[in-house]
Coordinates of all heavy atoms in Angstrom, one line a residue:
M1 N 17.0 57.4 -71.3 CA 17.6 58.7 -71.0 C 18.7 59.0 -72.0 O 19.6 58.1 -72.2 CB 18.1 58.7 -69.6 CG 18.7 60.0 -69.2 SD 19.4 60.0 -67.5 CE 17.9 60.0 -66.6
D2 N 18.7 60.2 -72.5 CA 19.8 60.6 -73.4 C 20.9 61.4 -72.6 O 20.6 61.8 -71.5 CB 19.3 61.5 -74.5 CG 18.3 60.8 -75.4 OD1 18.3 59.6 -75.5 OD2 17.4 61.5 -75.9
L3 N 22.1 61.5 -73.1 CA 23.1 62.2 -72.5 C 23.8 63.1 -73.4 O 24.2 62.7 -74.5 CB 24.1 61.2 -71.9 CG 25.4 61.7 -71.2 CD1 25.0 62.4 -69.9 CD2 26.3 60.5 -70.8
L4 N 24.0 64.4 -73.0 CA 24.7 65.4 -73.8 C 26.1 65.6 -73.2 O 26.1 66.0 -72.0 CB 23.9 66.7 -74.0 CG 24.6 67.8 -74.8 CD1 24.8 67.4 -76.2 CD2 23.8 69.1 -74.7
L5 N 27.2 65.4 -73.9 CA 28.5 65.6 -73.4 C 29.1 66.9 -74.0 O 29.0 67.1 -75.2 CB 29.4 64.4 -73.7 CG 29.0 63.0 -73.2 CD1 29.9 62.0 -73.7 CD2 29.0 63.1 -71.7
A6 N 29.7 67.7 -73.2 CA 30.4 68.9 -73.7 C 31.9 68.8 -73.4 O 32.3 68.7 -72.2 CB 29.8 70.1 -73.0
D7 N 32.7 68.8 -74.4 CA 34.2 68.7 -74.3 C 34.8 69.9 -75.0 O 35.0 69.9 -76.2 CB 34.7 67.4 -74.8 CG 36.2 67.2 -74.7 OD1 36.8 67.9 -73.8 OD2 36.8 66.4 -75.4
G8 N 35.0 71.0 -74.2 CA 35.5 72.2 -74.9 C 34.4 72.8 -75.8 O 33.4 73.2 -75.3
E9 N 34.7 72.8 -77.1 CA 33.7 73.3 -78.0 C 32.9 72.2 -78.7 O 31.9 72.5 -79.4 CB 34.4 74.2 -79.1 CG 35.0 75.4 -78.5 CD 35.7 76.3 -79.6 OE1 35.4 76.0 -80.8 OE2 36.4 77.2 -79.2
A10 N 33.3 71.0 -78.5 CA 32.6 69.9 -79.2 C 31.5 69.4 -78.3 O 31.6 69.2 -77.1 CB 33.6 68.7 -79.4
L11 N 30.3 69.1 -78.9 CA 29.2 68.5 -78.2 C 28.9 67.2 -78.8 O 28.9 67.0 -80.0 CB 27.9 69.4 -78.4 CG 28.0 70.8 -77.7 CD1 26.7 71.6 -78.1 CD2 28.1 70.7 -76.2
T12 N 28.6 66.2 -78.0 CA 28.2 64.9 -78.4 C 26.9 64.5 -77.8 O 26.8 64.5 -76.5 CB 29.3 63.8 -78.0 OG1 30.6 64.3 -78.6 CG2 29.0 62.5 -78.6
L13 N 26.0 64.1 -78.6 CA 24.7 63.6 -78.0 C 24.7 62.1 -78.1 O 24.8 61.5 -79.2 CB 23.5 64.2 -78.8 CG 22.1 63.7 -78.4 CD1 21.8 64.1 -77.0 CD2 21.1 64.2 -79.4
L14 N 24.5 61.4 -77.0 CA 24.4 60.0 -76.9 C 22.9 59.7 -76.6 O 22.3 60.0 -75.6 CB 25.2 59.4 -75.7 CG 26.7 59.7 -75.8 CD1 27.4 59.2 -74.6 CD2 27.3 59.1 -77.1
R15 N 22.3 59.0 -77.6 CA 20.8 58.8 -77.5 C 20.6 57.3 -77.1 O 21.2 56.4 -77.6 CB 20.2 59.0 -78.9 CG 20.1 60.5 -79.2 CD 19.4 60.7 -80.6 NE 18.3 59.8 -80.7 CZ 17.0 60.3 -80.9 NH1 16.8 61.6 -81.1 NH2 16.0 59.5 -81.0
N16 N 19.6 57.1 -76.3 CA 19.2 55.8 -75.8 C 17.9 55.5 -76.6 O 16.8 55.6 -76.0 CB 19.0 55.7 -74.3 CG 18.6 54.4 -73.9 OD1 18.6 53.4 -74.6 ND2 18.2 54.3 -72.6
D17 N 18.0 55.0 -77.8 CA 16.8 54.7 -78.6 C 16.3 53.2 -78.3 O 15.2 52.9 -78.7 CB 17.1 54.8 -80.1 CG 17.4 56.2 -80.5 OD1 16.8 57.1 -79.9 OD2 18.2 56.4 -81.4
G18 N 17.1 52.5 -77.6 CA 16.7 51.1 -77.3 C 15.9 50.9 -76.1 O 15.4 49.8 -75.8
G19 N 15.8 51.9 -75.3 CA 15.0 51.8 -74.0 C 15.9 51.1 -72.9 O 17.1 51.0 -73.1
N20 N 15.2 50.7 -71.9 CA 15.9 50.1 -70.8 C 15.0 49.0 -70.3 O 13.9 49.2 -69.9 CB 16.1 51.1 -69.7 CG 16.9 50.6 -68.5 OD1 17.1 49.4 -68.4 ND2 17.4 51.4 -67.7
A21 N 15.5 47.8 -70.4 CA 14.7 46.6 -70.0 C 14.9 46.2 -68.5 O 14.5 45.2 -68.0 CB 15.1 45.4 -70.8
N22 N 15.7 47.1 -67.8 CA 15.9 46.8 -66.3 C 14.7 47.2 -65.5 O 13.9 48.0 -65.9 CB 17.2 47.5 -65.9 CG 18.4 46.8 -66.5 OD1 18.4 45.6 -66.7 ND2 19.4 47.6 -66.9
H23 N 14.7 46.8 -64.3 CA 13.6 47.1 -63.3 C 14.1 48.0 -62.2 O 15.3 48.1 -62.0 CB 13.1 45.8 -62.7 CG 12.6 44.8 -63.6 ND1 11.4 44.9 -64.3 CD2 13.2 43.7 -64.1 CE1 11.2 43.9 -65.1 NE2 12.3 43.1 -65.0
W24 N 13.2 48.7 -61.6 CA 13.5 49.6 -60.5 C 12.3 49.7 -59.6 O 11.2 49.3 -59.9 CB 13.9 51.0 -61.0 CG 12.9 51.6 -62.0 CD1 12.9 51.5 -63.3 CD2 11.7 52.3 -61.7 NE1 11.8 52.1 -63.9 CE2 11.0 52.6 -62.9 CE3 11.1 52.7 -60.5 CZ2 9.9 53.3 -63.0 CZ3 9.9 53.5 -60.6 CH2 9.3 53.8 -61.8
L25 N 12.6 50.1 -58.3 CA 11.6 50.2 -57.3 C 11.7 51.6 -56.6 O 12.8 51.9 -56.2 CB 11.7 49.1 -56.3 CG 10.8 49.2 -55.1 CD1 9.3 48.9 -55.5 CD2 11.2 48.3 -54.0
K26 N 10.7 52.4 -56.5 CA 10.7 53.6 -55.8 C 9.9 53.5 -54.5 O 8.9 52.9 -54.5 CB 10.0 54.7 -56.6 CG 10.9 55.2 -57.8 CD 10.3 56.5 -58.4 CE 11.2 57.0 -59.5 NZ 11.0 58.4 -59.8
I27 N 10.5 54.0 -53.4 CA 9.9 54.0 -52.1 C 9.8 55.4 -51.6 O 10.8 56.1 -51.6 CB 10.7 53.1 -51.1 CG1 10.7 51.7 -51.6 CG2 10.2 53.3 -49.7 CD1 11.6 50.8 -50.7
R28 N 8.6 55.8 -51.2 CA 8.4 57.1 -50.7 C 8.1 57.0 -49.2 O 7.1 56.3 -48.8 CB 7.2 57.9 -51.4 CG 7.1 59.2 -50.8 CD 6.1 60.1 -51.6 NE 6.2 61.4 -51.2 CZ 5.7 62.4 -51.9 NH1 5.1 62.2 -53.0 NH2 5.8 63.6 -51.4
L29 N 8.8 57.6 -48.4 CA 8.7 57.6 -46.9 C 7.7 58.7 -46.5 O 7.8 59.8 -46.9 CB 10.0 57.8 -46.2 CG 11.1 56.8 -46.6 CD1 12.5 57.3 -46.1 CD2 10.8 55.4 -46.1
V30 N 6.7 58.3 -45.7 CA 5.7 59.2 -45.2 C 5.6 59.1 -43.7 O 5.3 58.0 -43.1 CB 4.3 58.9 -45.8 CG1 3.3 59.9 -45.2 CG2 4.4 59.0 -47.3
G31 N 6.0 60.1 -43.0 CA 6.0 60.1 -41.5 C 5.0 61.0 -40.9 O 4.2 61.6 -41.6
V32 N 5.0 61.1 -39.6 CA 4.1 62.0 -38.9 C 4.9 63.0 -38.1 O 6.1 62.7 -37.8 CB 3.1 61.3 -38.0 CG1 2.2 60.4 -38.9 CG2 3.8 60.4 -37.0
G33 N 4.3 64.1 -37.7 CA 5.0 65.0 -36.8 C 6.0 65.9 -37.6 O 5.7 66.2 -38.8
C34 N 7.1 66.2 -37.0 CA 8.1 67.1 -37.6 C 8.9 66.5 -38.8 O 9.6 67.2 -39.5 CB 9.0 67.7 -36.6 SG 10.0 66.5 -35.7
N35 N 9.0 65.1 -38.9 CA 9.8 64.5 -39.9 C 8.9 63.7 -40.9 O 9.0 62.5 -41.0 CB 10.8 63.5 -39.2 CG 11.9 63.1 -40.2 OD1 12.0 63.5 -41.3 ND2 12.7 62.1 -39.8
K36 N 8.1 64.5 -41.6 CA 7.1 63.9 -42.5 C 7.8 63.2 -43.7 O 7.2 62.3 -44.4 CB 6.1 64.9 -43.0 CG 5.3 65.4 -41.8 CD 4.2 66.3 -42.3 CE 3.4 66.8 -41.1 NZ 2.0 66.8 -41.2
D37 N 9.0 63.6 -44.1 CA 9.7 63.0 -45.3 C 10.7 61.9 -44.9 O 11.4 61.4 -45.7 CB 10.4 64.1 -46.1 CG 9.5 65.1 -46.7 OD1 8.4 64.6 -47.1 OD2 9.8 66.3 -46.9
G38 N 10.8 61.6 -43.6 CA 11.7 60.6 -43.1 C 13.2 60.9 -43.3 O 14.0 60.0 -43.5
I39 N 13.5 62.2 -43.2 CA 14.9 62.6 -43.3 C 15.8 61.8 -42.4 O 15.5 61.7 -41.2 CB 15.1 64.1 -43.1 CG1 14.1 64.9 -44.0 CG2 16.5 64.5 -43.3 CD1 14.3 64.6 -45.5
G40 N 16.9 61.2 -42.9 CA 17.8 60.4 -42.1 C 17.5 58.9 -42.1 O 18.2 58.1 -41.6
T41 N 16.3 58.6 -42.6 CA 15.9 57.2 -42.6 C 16.7 56.4 -43.6 O 17.0 56.8 -44.7 CB 14.4 57.0 -42.9 OG1 13.6 57.7 -42.0 CG2 13.9 55.6 -43.0
K42 N 17.1 55.2 -43.2 CA 17.9 54.3 -44.0 C 17.0 53.2 -44.5 O 16.3 52.6 -43.7 CB 19.1 53.7 -43.3 CG 20.1 54.8 -43.0 CD 21.3 54.2 -42.1 CE 22.3 55.3 -41.8 NZ 21.8 56.3 -40.9
V43 N 17.1 52.9 -45.8 CA 16.3 51.8 -46.4 C 17.2 50.8 -47.0 O 18.1 51.2 -47.9 CB 15.3 52.3 -47.4 CG1 14.5 51.2 -48.0 CG2 14.3 53.3 -46.8
L44 N 17.2 49.5 -46.6 CA 18.0 48.5 -47.1 C 17.1 47.6 -48.0 O 15.9 47.3 -47.6 CB 18.6 47.6 -46.0 CG 19.6 48.3 -45.2 CD1 19.0 49.2 -44.2 CD2 20.5 47.3 -44.5
L45 N 17.6 47.2 -49.2 CA 16.8 46.4 -50.1 C 17.7 45.3 -50.7 O 18.9 45.5 -51.0 CB 16.3 47.3 -51.2 CG 15.5 46.7 -52.3 CD1 14.3 47.5 -52.6 CD2 16.3 46.5 -53.6
K46 N 17.1 44.1 -50.8 CA 17.8 43.0 -51.5 C 16.9 42.4 -52.6 O 15.8 42.1 -52.4 CB 18.1 41.9 -50.5 CG 18.8 40.7 -51.2 CD 19.8 40.0 -50.2 CE 20.5 38.8 -50.8 NZ 20.7 38.7 -52.2
A47 N 17.5 42.4 -53.8 CA 16.7 41.9 -55.0 C 17.7 41.0 -55.8 O 18.7 41.6 -56.3 CB 16.2 43.0 -55.8
G48 N 17.5 39.7 -55.8 CA 18.5 38.9 -56.5 C 19.8 38.9 -55.7 O 19.9 39.0 -54.5
P49 N 20.9 39.0 -56.5 CA 22.2 39.0 -55.8 C 22.6 40.4 -55.3 O 23.6 40.6 -54.7 CB 23.2 38.6 -56.9 CG 22.5 39.0 -58.2 CD 21.0 38.9 -57.9
V50 N 21.8 41.4 -55.6 CA 22.1 42.8 -55.3 C 21.5 43.3 -54.0 O 20.3 43.1 -53.7 CB 21.6 43.7 -56.4 CG1 21.9 45.2 -56.1 CG2 22.3 43.3 -57.7
G51 N 22.3 43.8 -53.1 CA 21.9 44.5 -51.9 C 22.2 46.0 -52.0 O 23.3 46.3 -52.4
Q52 N 21.3 46.8 -51.6 CA 21.5 48.3 -51.6 C 21.1 48.9 -50.4 O 20.2 48.4 -49.7 CB 20.8 48.9 -52.8 CG 21.2 48.3 -54.1 CD 20.3 48.9 -55.2 OE1 20.2 50.1 -55.4 NE2 19.6 48.0 -56.0
K53 N 21.7 50.1 -50.1 CA 21.2 50.9 -48.9 C 21.2 52.4 -49.4 O 22.2 52.9 -49.9 CB 22.2 50.7 -47.8 CG 21.9 51.6 -46.5 CD 22.8 51.2 -45.4 CE 23.6 52.4 -45.0 NZ 24.5 52.2 -43.9
L54 N 20.1 53.0 -49.1 CA 19.9 54.4 -49.4 C 19.4 55.2 -48.2 O 18.8 54.6 -47.3 CB 18.9 54.7 -50.6 CG 19.3 54.2 -51.9 CD1 18.2 54.4 -52.9 CD2 20.6 54.9 -52.4
E55 N 19.8 56.4 -48.1 CA 19.4 57.2 -46.9 C 18.6 58.4 -47.5 O 19.0 59.1 -48.4 CB 20.6 57.8 -46.1 CG 20.2 58.6 -45.0 CD 21.4 59.0 -44.1 OE1 22.5 58.4 -44.2 OE2 21.3 60.0 -43.4
A56 N 17.4 58.7 -46.8 CA 16.6 59.8 -47.2 C 17.3 61.1 -46.8 O 17.7 61.3 -45.6 CB 15.2 59.7 -46.6
R57 N 17.4 62.0 -47.7 CA 18.1 63.3 -47.4 C 17.1 64.4 -47.8 O 16.4 64.3 -48.7 CB 19.4 63.4 -48.2 CG 20.3 62.3 -47.8 CD 21.7 62.5 -48.4 NE 22.5 61.5 -47.9 CZ 23.7 61.2 -48.4 NH1 24.2 62.0 -49.4 NH2 24.4 60.2 -48.0
G58 N 17.2 65.5 -47.1 CA 16.3 66.6 -47.3 C 16.9 67.8 -48.0 O 17.5 68.6 -47.5
T59 N 16.8 67.8 -49.4 CA 17.2 68.9 -50.2 C 16.1 69.2 -51.1 O 15.3 68.3 -51.5 CB 18.5 68.6 -51.0 OG1 18.2 67.6 -51.9 CG2 19.6 68.1 -50.1
S60 N 16.0 70.4 -51.5 CA 14.9 70.9 -52.4 C 15.1 70.3 -53.8 O 14.2 70.3 -54.6 CB 14.8 72.4 -52.4 OG 16.0 72.9 -52.9
Q61 N 16.3 69.9 -54.2 CA 16.6 69.4 -55.5 C 16.3 67.9 -55.7 O 16.3 67.5 -56.9 CB 18.1 69.7 -55.9 CG 18.5 71.1 -55.8 CD 17.7 72.0 -56.7 OE1 17.6 71.6 -57.9 NE2 17.2 73.1 -56.3
R62 N 16.0 67.2 -54.7 CA 15.8 65.8 -54.8 C 14.4 65.4 -54.8 O 13.6 66.0 -54.1 CB 16.5 65.0 -53.6 CG 18.0 65.1 -53.7 CD 18.6 64.4 -52.6 NE 18.2 63.0 -52.6 CZ 18.9 62.0 -52.9 NH1 20.2 62.1 -53.3 NH2 18.5 60.7 -52.9
S63 N 14.0 64.3 -55.4 CA 12.7 63.8 -55.4 C 12.5 63.2 -54.0 O 13.5 62.6 -53.4 CB 12.6 62.7 -56.5 OG 11.4 62.0 -56.3
P64 N 11.3 63.2 -53.4 CA 11.1 62.6 -52.1 C 11.2 61.1 -52.1 O 11.3 60.4 -51.1 CB 9.7 63.1 -51.7 CG 9.0 63.3 -53.0 CD 10.1 63.8 -54.0
E65 N 11.2 60.4 -53.3 CA 11.3 59.0 -53.4 C 12.7 58.5 -53.4 O 13.6 59.2 -53.9 CB 10.6 58.4 -54.6 CG 9.1 58.7 -54.7 CD 8.7 59.9 -55.4 OE1 9.6 60.6 -56.0 OE2 7.5 60.3 -55.3
L66 N 12.9 57.3 -52.8 CA 14.2 56.7 -52.9 C 14.1 55.7 -54.1 O 13.2 54.9 -54.1 CB 14.6 55.9 -51.7 CG 14.7 56.8 -50.4 CD1 14.9 55.9 -49.2 CD2 15.9 57.8 -50.6
T67 N 15.0 55.7 -55.1 CA 14.9 54.9 -56.2 C 16.0 53.8 -56.2 O 17.2 54.1 -56.1 CB 15.0 55.7 -57.5 OG1 14.0 56.7 -57.5 CG2 14.9 54.8 -58.8
F68 N 15.6 52.6 -56.3 CA 16.5 51.4 -56.3 C 16.5 50.8 -57.7 O 15.4 50.4 -58.1 CB 16.1 50.4 -55.2 CG 16.2 50.8 -53.8 CD1 15.1 51.5 -53.2 CD2 17.3 50.6 -53.1 CE1 15.2 51.9 -51.9 CE2 17.4 51.0 -51.8 CZ 16.4 51.7 -51.2
G69 N 17.6 50.6 -58.3 CA 17.7 49.9 -59.5 C 18.0 48.4 -59.2 O 18.9 48.1 -58.5
V70 N 17.1 47.6 -59.7 CA 17.2 46.1 -59.4 C 17.6 45.3 -60.6 O 17.5 44.1 -60.5 CB 15.9 45.6 -58.7 CG1 15.8 46.3 -57.3 CG2 14.7 45.8 -59.5
G71 N 17.9 45.9 -61.7 CA 18.4 45.2 -62.9 C 17.3 44.3 -63.4 O 16.2 44.6 -63.6
K72 N 17.7 43.0 -63.6 CA 16.8 42.0 -64.2 C 15.9 41.3 -63.1 O 15.1 40.5 -63.5 CB 17.6 41.0 -65.0 CG 18.4 41.6 -66.1 CD 17.6 42.1 -67.2 CE 18.4 42.6 -68.4 NZ 17.7 43.5 -69.3
A73 N 16.2 41.6 -61.9 CA 15.4 40.9 -60.8 C 13.9 41.2 -61.0 O 13.5 42.3 -61.2 CB 15.9 41.4 -59.4
E74 N 13.1 40.2 -60.8 CA 11.7 40.4 -60.9 C 11.0 40.4 -59.6 O 9.7 40.6 -59.5 CB 11.1 39.3 -61.8 CG 11.6 39.4 -63.2 CD 10.9 38.4 -64.2 OE1 10.0 37.7 -63.8 OE2 11.4 38.3 -65.3
K75 N 11.7 40.2 -58.5 CA 11.1 40.3 -57.2 C 12.1 40.8 -56.2 O 13.3 40.7 -56.4 CB 10.5 39.0 -56.7 CG 11.5 37.9 -56.4 CD 10.9 36.7 -55.9 CE 11.9 35.6 -55.5 NZ 11.3 34.5 -54.8
V76 N 11.6 41.4 -55.1 CA 12.4 42.0 -54.1 C 12.3 41.0 -52.9 O 11.2 40.7 -52.4 CB 12.0 43.4 -53.7 CG1 12.7 43.9 -52.5 CG2 12.2 44.3 -54.9
E77 N 13.4 40.5 -52.4 CA 13.4 39.5 -51.3 C 13.2 40.2 -49.9 O 12.6 39.6 -49.0 CB 14.6 38.6 -51.3 CG 14.7 37.6 -52.3 CD 15.3 38.1 -53.6 OE1 16.0 39.1 -53.6 OE2 15.1 37.5 -54.7
M78 N 13.8 41.4 -49.8 CA 13.8 42.0 -48.5 C 13.8 43.6 -48.6 O 14.6 44.1 -49.4 CB 15.0 41.6 -47.7 CG 15.2 42.0 -46.3 SD 16.1 43.6 -46.0 CE 17.7 43.3 -46.6
V79 N 13.0 44.2 -47.8 CA 13.1 45.7 -47.6 C 13.1 45.9 -46.1 O 12.2 45.4 -45.4 CB 11.9 46.4 -48.2 CG1 12.0 47.9 -47.9 CG2 11.9 46.2 -49.7
R80 N 14.1 46.6 -45.6 CA 14.2 47.0 -44.2 C 14.3 48.5 -44.1 O 15.1 49.1 -44.7 CB 15.4 46.3 -43.6 CG 15.5 46.6 -42.1 CD 16.7 45.8 -41.4 NE 16.3 44.4 -41.5 CZ 17.2 43.4 -41.4 NH1 18.5 43.7 -41.3 NH2 16.8 42.2 -41.4
I81 N 13.4 49.1 -43.2 CA 13.4 50.5 -43.1 C 13.8 50.8 -41.6 O 13.3 50.3 -40.7 CB 12.0 51.1 -43.3 CG1 11.6 50.8 -44.8 CG2 12.0 52.6 -43.0 CD1 10.2 51.1 -45.1
L82 N 14.9 51.6 -41.5 CA 15.5 52.0 -40.2 C 15.2 53.5 -40.0 O 15.9 54.3 -40.5 CB 17.0 51.7 -40.2 CG 17.4 50.3 -40.5 CD1 18.9 50.2 -40.7 CD2 16.9 49.4 -39.4
W83 N 14.0 53.8 -39.4 CA 13.6 55.1 -39.2 C 14.3 55.8 -38.1 O 14.5 55.4 -37.1 CB 12.1 55.1 -38.9 CG 11.4 56.4 -39.2 CD1 11.4 57.5 -38.3 CD2 10.7 56.8 -40.3 NE1 10.7 58.5 -38.9 CE2 10.3 58.2 -40.1 CE3 10.4 56.2 -41.5 CZ2 9.5 58.9 -41.1 CZ3 9.7 56.9 -42.5 CH2 9.3 58.2 -42.2

């Protein structure tokens, strides 16, 4: 991902030409009834030394998936979904 910075009249483009060797995991919540997107659901994840918690929120600007960055970890030890 590249980044464009604007500071007054000066623009600086930071390019990521090296790519990203880190890992990530996307989780999409699918429910039934009136809460099909799992709004308010908390997802806890542990991968290596990193533990994370995300909550599904309902806005039109967000992707329906929850994205967890797990760095160099090659496996996920735990996923807990609190619906």
Side-chain angles (χ1 to χ4, degrees):
M1 176 182 291
D2 299 332
L3 179 64
L4 180 64
L5 300 173
D7 181 19
E9 294 181 13
L11 295 176
T12 304
L13 177 62
L14 303 176
R15 292 181 42 123
N16 181 8
D17 292 329
N20 186 344
N22 291 322
H23 302 281
W24 50 268
L25 174 71
K26 285 190 176 201
I27 296 177
R28 182 170 190 168
L29 302 168
V30 179
V32 295
C34 63
N35 192 8
K36 294 186 184 221
D37 293 327
I39 305 304
T41 299
K42 294 175 181 64
V43 178
L44 292 77
L45 178 136
K46 179 148 177 27
V50 177
Q52 299 176 56
K53 178 174 116 177
L54 293 176
E55 181 176 341
R57 299 188 179 169
T59 67
S60 61
Q61 301 298 317
R62 292 182 56 106
S63 170
E65 294 92 11
L66 298 175
T67 303
F68 294 87
V70 296
K72 302 291 183 196
E74 294 186 8
K75 68 178 184 173
V76 173
E77 285 90 20
M78 184 270 301
V79 174
R80 181 174 294 158
I81 298 174
L82 305 170
W83 198 277

